[in-house]
Amino acid sequence: MYKLTACLFFCMLLVQTKGTELGKQLKRYNINWTSQSKNSSESMPLGGGDIGCNVWVENGDILFYISRSGAFDENNQLLKLGRGRLRLEPNIFTDSESVFSQELKLHDGYIQIIGQNGKEKVTINLWVDVFKPHINVSLTSTSEVKLTAFYENWRTADRQLPMQERSACFSYSAYEGDVVTYRDSIRYHKDAVLWYHRNRSDKLLIDFCIKQQGLTAVKDQLTNPQKNLTFGGLMLGKGMIPAGTGSGKYVDTPFTYWSLTSEKPAKNHQVKFALHTDQTNTIEQWEEDLLSSNLSFNSSEKWARTKTWWHNYWERSYIFINADKNDPTDPAWQVGRNYQLFRYQLGCNAYGAYPTKFNGGLFTVDPLFVKQYNQPNHGTPDYRTWGGGSHTAQNQRLVYWPMLKSGDFDMMHSQFRFYSRSLKNTELRTKVYWGHEGCSFTEHPETFGLPAAGTWGFESGPRKRSDDLEHGTLTNKWVRLHYTNQLEFSFMILKYYQYSGKTIQEYIPFITSSLNFFFEHYKYRQMQQTGKPFDENDKLVIYPSTACETFKDVKNPTDISAALIAVIQAMQTLPDELLGSKEKDYWHSQLRHIPDMTYANHKGKKIIVAAQKLPERINSDIPEMYPVFPYGIYGVGLPGLAVAVDTWNSGLLNDRKNFISWHQDAIFCARMGLTEEAKKVSILKMQDCERRFPSFWGPGHDYVPDHNWGGSGMIGLQEMLLQTVDNNVYLLPAWPEEWDVAFRLHAPDKTIIDCKASHGKITKLKVSPRKRLKDIAESNN
C-alpha cells in the first residue's frame, strides 16, 4: 500500500513520456522468434481496424489465417475468410544455413520476417491497414526472387457439421437436425482471386429462432443482420498473374488453393488481400463495391498513417513493471509485458462491427491444438467452443471494462452497439411473452438479440424443451433467468460517459429499457403471486431469479440489487440534455423499491450473501463480490469495506476462487486493498502461458486465446494501480512495494494519470488536467 504524503504536492515532477522513449520501452516487449513454427498453434497475432491474422512460418512458407469482425454465416458461425500462403523461389527460408527472424513490432503494429544467408537477405513486412480492410505484404530482397501467393479455402463444398463441432455455432449445440456450413464462391477475376460467402436467404438462424421462440407474428418488425450478408475479398499482387489451382491438406482439414505468381523474378514484390463485408440486395452490387474500392499498391502513405495510429494507441495508456531490470524471466516483468501484448490483441479489433469475442477474438487456429476438457478437438479452423454470434455477456464484459482506464473509448462502441442494434428485437420479445415494457437480453444473445436456440430448447434430444415450461423462459438452467448483464453493460456505458465525457445519447434507450424490464417484469411476477406489485415493504420481489450463473431459482439476488442501485445512481450524474430532470427524478424515486442486499452473520462477522434463498449452486462465479466489482458499493475509500473483506476471507468462497479465464479474484482483491493476494493472482493470471505467443492464454473454461482471461487480468492490474471514488483518486491502493512501475491510466472527468513508483515511493507524477491534483487522495483502508 502506498500513501501520498502532502509534501509530494510540492515536489511534483511533471513527466511526459516521449514517443521515442515509449517506442524504446515497447521494443523490449517485441516478440522475436529465431526459429520457424511447427504449426499454426505457434502463430503470432497481426491486425488492425477489424481484421486479425495468425501469422507463422512453417517449412519455409509464410502462412496466415484471415479473420474479420462480423463474418457470420447462415448458422451465425464466425467464419474465417481463408488462409494466405507465400512461397519464394529460390526460397531462403528452406535453406538450413540461413538465419531466421519473425518479429512482432508492437510500437508500429506490424510483423517483419527476415531470412539471411551471408549477403543474401529477404525481408517481408506484413501489416493491416487500420483505416481500410486491407492486409498488405511487401517483400524486398538483395537478389531477384519469384513470389507465389496462395489463397486457401476449406469451404469449397457444403459440409454437414458433425455434432461434436456444433459448439462452433452455439445456437445449434446438441441440435439433432441438419446443420450445414454452406460453400463459399471462389474464382479468378482477371489477375486476382475473388472469393465470398453470401448467406442463403432460406437457411438463416434468425428465422429458425423466430419460429422456435414463437415470434412469427412480429417477424416483419425484427431487425435482421443476417439477410443478404456477404463477406469475402480479393487477393492481388503487383506484377502477378494467375498460376492455377490445386488441393492439399493442413493438419486434418483438406483445402483448395488459387495461386498468383510473379511474372518475372524481382527484388521487390507486393501482395494485397482486400476484404469487404456488407448487406447488399445482390451479389453483383457487393462485387462492384469491392472492385471499385481503392486497390492501389502505393501504400507508403497508408502504412505511415497506420503506424501513427498505433503510436497514438500506445501513447494513450501503458503499464510497465520492473522495466529497467528488463528480465524476461521475472514474473512481474512478464505481467507488464503481457499486459501490453494483450492490449495489442484488443487493438486489432478497434473498430469491428461486432465486439471482440471473449473466446478467441480474431485469433483462433486449428482446433486440434486446443486440448479442452482433456480431449483434442477435431474440425476446421472455423471451430471454437461457445462459438457463433452468441456473445456470452458474463464473459464479454471483461473484455471491455479495461478500456475505460486505458482510455480506449473509441473501441467500446463495438460492444455497446451490440445491444443498441438489437434493442427493438428484445423489447418485442418481452412484449410478446409477458405483455410489459423493457428489453430482455438473455445471457447468450445472438447478433440479432434473441436467445441462442440451444438455450431455448429443441423439440427433441438432450436439450428438449419441456412442454410445461413458461413461454419466453429458457430451458438451459444455467442461464434460464439470467438477464443481469444488460444492467452491467448499462453501467459500463454510464461509466464510459464519466470517463470520456463523450455523448451516450444513442445508448440511453438501451439503459432505460434495461431498467424498465427489471421493474416491470418483477412487478408482473408479484402481481401473479399476490395481486400486488410490491411486497409488504414496498419492495420489488425479484423471484424466481439467479445470482450470476451460480445460484439458481433464488430470491432477490445481491448482484441484481447492486446493479440496479449503481445504474440509477450513475444516471443521476447525467446532464439534462442526455436525460431530463423528470426522467432522473423518476428513476431516483425507484431506488426505494429495490430489494436490500442480503447479509448474514458468520463467526461473529457481517458478510454478504448472494441472495435470500440459495437452493441450488451449479457454477463457480462469486456474486457476493459484485457489490465490490463492478458496482463499487464496497471498496477502498468506501464505508463498510470490512464487510467485503470479511466475506472474502470467510472461507465460504474458497472453492470458487480461481485465476483462469473469467475469474475475477485479482480484481476483487485489488478493490479491497488486499495487495499480496492481488499480486499473487495477477502473476498466475498474466505470466507467460505455455504457448509460443505469451498472451495466448487458455483454454481454461473457454478457448484459445482466452480474451476474458486477458481482460480480467488487465482490470486487476489497473485496479491495483488506480481507483476512484466520487472525486477522489487513489493511487497504488494495492500495489506491491517490490514492483517498480510506470503507468499512464485514465480516470473520470477526462483525467489522465502519469505515475512512476520505485521501492515504495512515488517518484514522478503528472495529472491532467492540473486542477485534478487536488483530488489525489490517500488510500485509507
Side-chain angles (χ1 to χ4, degrees):
M1 176 63 62
Y2 291 77
K3 292 191 175 181
L4 190 66
T5 60
C7 66
L8 187 56
F9 286 107
F10 300 99
C11 61
M12 292 291 184
L13 296 176
L14 302 182
V15 59
Q16 178 68 44
T17 302
K18 304 296 183 182
T20 53
E21 296 172 353
L22 182 60
K24 182 179 179 181
Q25 178 55 46
L26 285 169
K27 187 176 181 180
R28 297 176 181 177
Y29 291 162
N30 286 355
I31 303 300
N32 189 6
W33 296 335
T34 56
S35 63
Q36 297 184 27
S37 299
K38 297 176 182 177
N39 50 55
S40 60
S41 71
E42 297 187 349
S43 58
M44 184 179 284
L46 171 72
D50 64 351
I51 294 170
C53 301
N54 298 76
V55 180
W56 74 103
V57 182
E58 181 180 352
N59 297 325
D61 287 351
I62 296 95
L63 298 105
F64 47 95
Y65 281 121
I66 303 170
S67 299
R68 192 180 184 198
S69 176
F72 294 110
D73 74 349
E74 292 88 340
N75 306 316
N76 232 19
Q77 182 176 353
L78 182 59
L79 301 181
K80 292 193 180 299
L81 273 68
R83 182 174 55 230
R85 184 188 297 259
L86 305 172
R87 184 176 296 159
L88 305 181
E89 183 184 340
N91 195 346
I92 196 170
F93 297 113
T94 59
D95 187 341
S96 60
E97 300 298 320
S98 295
V99 176
F100 173 84
S101 171
Q102 178 180 338
E103 184 174 8
L104 172 60
K105 295 181 178 289
L106 278 177
H107 193 228
D108 291 337
Y110 75 99
I111 288 176
Q112 185 173 80
I113 300 169
I114 296 176
Q116 187 165 8
N117 187 351
K119 294 182 179 180
E120 298 295 321
K121 182 178 180 180
V122 173
T123 301
I124 298 175
N125 295 322
L126 297 97
W127 62 279
V128 176
D129 194 323
V130 169
F131 304 99
K132 288 185 70 69
H134 292 177
I135 303 164
N136 300 277
V137 181
S138 63
L139 180 152
T140 59
S141 175
T142 53
S143 300
E144 292 183 342
V145 295
K146 187 176 182 179
L147 175 66
T148 302
F150 301 83
Y151 170 72
E152 299 178 351
N153 187 295
W154 48 91
R155 297 188 302 269
T156 53
D158 294 350
R159 176 177 179 261
Q160 183 73 230
L161 204 63
M163 186 65 71
Q164 64 269 26
E165 292 182 35
R166 293 190 180 179
S167 185
C169 44
F170 182 64
S171 260
Y172 286 127
S173 296
Y175 176 58
E176 293 188 332
D178 289 342
V179 180
V180 176
T181 299
Y182 294 98
R183 67 181 182 87
D184 293 352
S185 297
I186 310 124
R187 71 176 192 272
Y188 283 110
H189 175 81
K190 298 180 180 179
D191 288 339
V193 179
L194 188 150
W195 81 94
Y196 62 84
H197 183 99
R198 183 170 175 85
N199 286 345
R200 293 177 48 168
S201 61
D202 60 336
K203 299 294 182 180
L204 301 180
L205 174 65
I206 186 173
D207 294 333
F208 180 95
C209 290
I210 288 170
K211 181 179 179 181
Q212 175 202 41
Q213 297 169 24
L215 297 171
T216 303
V218 295
K219 179 178 179 178
D220 291 343
Q221 301 177 56
L222 295 172
T223 302
N224 187 343
Q226 288 193 288
K227 184 178 180 181
N228 294 331
L229 181 66
T230 309
F231 48 87
L234 195 73
M235 180 181 78
L236 61 162
K238 190 174 184 179
M240 301 182 78
I241 57 175
T245 65
S247 61
K249 187 176 185 180
Y250 186 77
V251 188
D252 53 6
T253 302
F255 66 87
T256 302
Y257 68 77
W258 285 254
S259 62
L260 304 175
T261 193
S262 46
E263 290 186 277
K264 58 182 180 181
K267 294 182 179 181
N268 296 282
H269 296 282
Q270 293 185 65
V271 178
K272 182 187 295 288
F273 290 75
L275 309 182
H276 183 47
T277 303
D278 200 5
Q279 287 180 276
T280 58
N281 290 329
T282 66
I283 187 59
E284 290 77 15
Q285 181 62 56
W286 182 90
E287 288 189 19
E288 181 181 341
D289 292 343
L290 169 62
L291 296 171
S292 63
S293 63
N294 185 356
L295 301 173
S296 69
F297 288 99
N298 185 14
S299 60
S300 57
E301 183 178 338
K302 297 174 186 175
W303 194 11
R305 187 173 62 165
T306 286
K307 287 180 180 178
T308 297
W309 187 92
W310 282 108
H311 296 171
N312 292 335
Y313 181 69
W314 298 118
E315 285 284 349
R316 282 206 295 242
S317 180
Y318 52 80
I319 297 175
F320 301 142
I321 304 173
N322 291 348
D324 292 340
K325 298 177 183 178
N326 197 29
D327 179 7
T329 66
D330 172 19
W333 186 92
Q334 290 181 13
V335 168
R337 189 269 310 277
N338 294 342
Y339 176 97
Q340 305 299 139
L341 291 181
F342 183 72
R343 185 162 171 258
Y344 167 78
Q345 290 171 230
L346 294 181
C348 292
N349 189 33
Y351 305 129
Y354 287 90
T356 296
K357 284 276 288 182
F358 72 93
N359 53 345
L362 299 174
F363 299 115
T364 58
V365 298
D366 301 80
L368 181 67
F369 306 118
V370 182
K371 293 184 178 180
Q372 195 167 29
Y373 311 122
N374 298 316
Q375 293 291 329
N377 292 310
H378 294 271
T380 76
D382 295 320
Y383 179 83
R384 71 177 85 198
T385 54
W386 316 102
S390 60
H391 284 61
T392 306
Q394 182 76 6
N395 306 67
Q396 287 295 137
R397 64 196 184 91
L398 297 170
V399 179
Y400 282 86
W401 272 118
M403 296 181 189
L404 289 176
K405 282 192 167 70
S406 61
D408 297 322
F409 308 128
D410 55 335
M411 293 165 48
M412 301 183 76
H413 296 286
S414 296
Q415 180 65 68
F416 297 164
R417 287 172 182 152
F418 178 86
Y419 286 95
S420 62
R421 182 189 296 118
S422 49
L423 175 62
K424 179 182 177 182
N425 291 5
T426 58
E427 290 178 331
L428 278 168
R429 72 181 294 271
T430 301
K431 180 68 76 172
V432 168
Y433 300 148
W434 301 296
H436 62 72
E437 303 298 320
C439 61
S440 52
F441 283 95
T442 59
E443 176 62 5
H444 297 290
E446 287 288 346
T447 55
F448 40 84
L450 303 184
T455 65
W456 179 273
F458 303 117
E459 294 180 355
S460 62
R463 296 189 183 175
K464 184 180 185 300
R465 184 175 177 85
S466 171
D467 293 336
D468 58 3
L469 187 63
E470 180 195 46
H471 201 59
T473 302
L474 304 182
T475 297
N476 184 301
K477 68 177 182 177
W478 275 266
V479 298
R480 182 171 60 241
L481 303 167
H482 199 348
Y483 308 103
T484 321
N485 285 305
Q486 65 187 37
L487 293 175
E488 183 165 345
F489 280 109
S490 295
F491 187 54
M492 187 187 296
I493 293 168
L494 292 163
K495 284 294 183 182
Y496 164 90
Y497 174 76
Q498 291 178 6
Y499 274 71
S500 71
K502 298 178 183 297
T503 184
I504 56 170
Q505 190 67 62
E506 65 178 297
Y507 308 125
I508 294 296
F510 164 66
I511 296 171
T512 56
S513 190
S514 295
L515 285 171
N516 259 328
F517 172 79
F518 277 87
F519 283 89
E520 296 304 315
H521 191 66
Y522 290 102
K523 285 191 290 184
Y524 165 82
R525 290 290 187 211
Q526 186 69 356
M527 288 289 291
Q528 286 180 314
Q529 294 295 317
T530 69
K532 298 180 181 180
F534 301 113
D535 67 8
E536 65 277 9
N537 297 314
D538 205 28
K539 302 282 189 180
L540 281 174
V541 178
I542 303 177
Y543 177 82
S545 188
T546 178
C548 295
E549 288 187 32
T550 303
F551 297 102
K552 315 315 296 179
D553 296 314
V554 302
K555 179 180 179 182
N556 294 340
T558 289
D559 60 316
I560 294 181
S561 290
L564 291 169
I565 292 168
V567 171
I568 291 175
Q569 289 181 340
M571 289 171 71
Q572 304 307 304
T573 67
L574 295 177
D576 287 349
E577 59 265 26
L578 288 178
L579 191 69
S581 57
K582 287 184 179 180
E583 289 84 357
K584 284 186 281 190
D585 289 345
Y586 168 77
W587 286 114
H588 187 266
S589 72
Q590 298 306 300
L591 285 170
R592 71 181 188 275
H593 296 307
I594 298 173
D596 296 332
M597 293 188 293
T598 303
Y599 300 91
N601 185 295
H602 179 73
K603 297 182 179 179
K605 295 182 177 180
K606 180 181 180 181
I607 64 169
I608 307 166
V609 180
Q612 289 183 15
K613 295 181 179 180
L614 302 176
E616 182 184 16
R617 176 190 147 193
I618 62 173
N619 210 330
S620 56
D621 203 350
I622 308 178
E624 297 92 329
M625 286 289 104
Y626 278 52
V628 175
F629 173 83
Y631 298 118
I633 293 173
Y634 294 109
V636 170
L638 289 164
L641 175 58
V643 174
V645 174
D646 289 341
T647 305
W648 183 254
N649 292 331
S650 66
L652 300 176
L653 314 181
N654 287 353
D655 64 338
R656 286 182 275 155
K657 294 180 179 180
N658 208 328
F659 69 91
I660 66 171
S661 289
W662 44 258
H663 287 275
Q664 301 146 76
D665 297 33
I667 308 172
F668 298 145
C669 290
R671 281 270 177 114
M672 294 184 290
L674 303 177
T675 302
E676 283 304 310
E677 198 165 351
K679 168 192 166 184
K680 176 183 176 182
V681 178
S682 291
I683 290 175
L684 290 171
K685 185 175 276 285
M686 295 292 281
Q687 67 185 344
D688 289 358
C689 70
E690 63 183 10
R691 300 177 186 278
R692 193 173 197 189
F693 195 79
S695 59
F696 273 13
W697 297 288
H701 300 308
D702 301 314
Y703 206 63
V704 178
D706 189 335
H707 279 60
N708 61 173
W709 184 317
S712 57
M714 287 182 71
I715 302 165
L717 280 181
Q718 292 171 348
E719 296 295 326
M720 291 167 70
L721 289 165
L722 175 67
Q723 295 180 36
T724 60
V725 178
D726 298 325
N727 291 327
N728 294 323
V729 179
Y730 295 100
L731 293 180
L732 308 148
W735 194 256
E737 294 186 3
E738 63 273 23
W739 285 9
D740 293 347
V741 66
F743 70 88
R744 177 177 295 158
L745 292 173
H746 294 244
D749 298 325
K750 297 184 280 189
T751 302
I752 302 174
I753 308 291
D754 283 276
C755 183
K756 188 172 183 179
S758 180
H759 304 295
K761 296 180 180 179
I762 294 175
T763 59
K764 294 181 180 179
L765 179 65
K766 179 182 177 181
V767 180
S768 176
R770 287 179 60 84
K771 66 180 182 179
R772 290 280 271 152
L773 275 171
K774 62 179 175 51
D775 299 323
I776 304 296
E778 292 187 2
S779 301
N780 60 359
N781 65 310

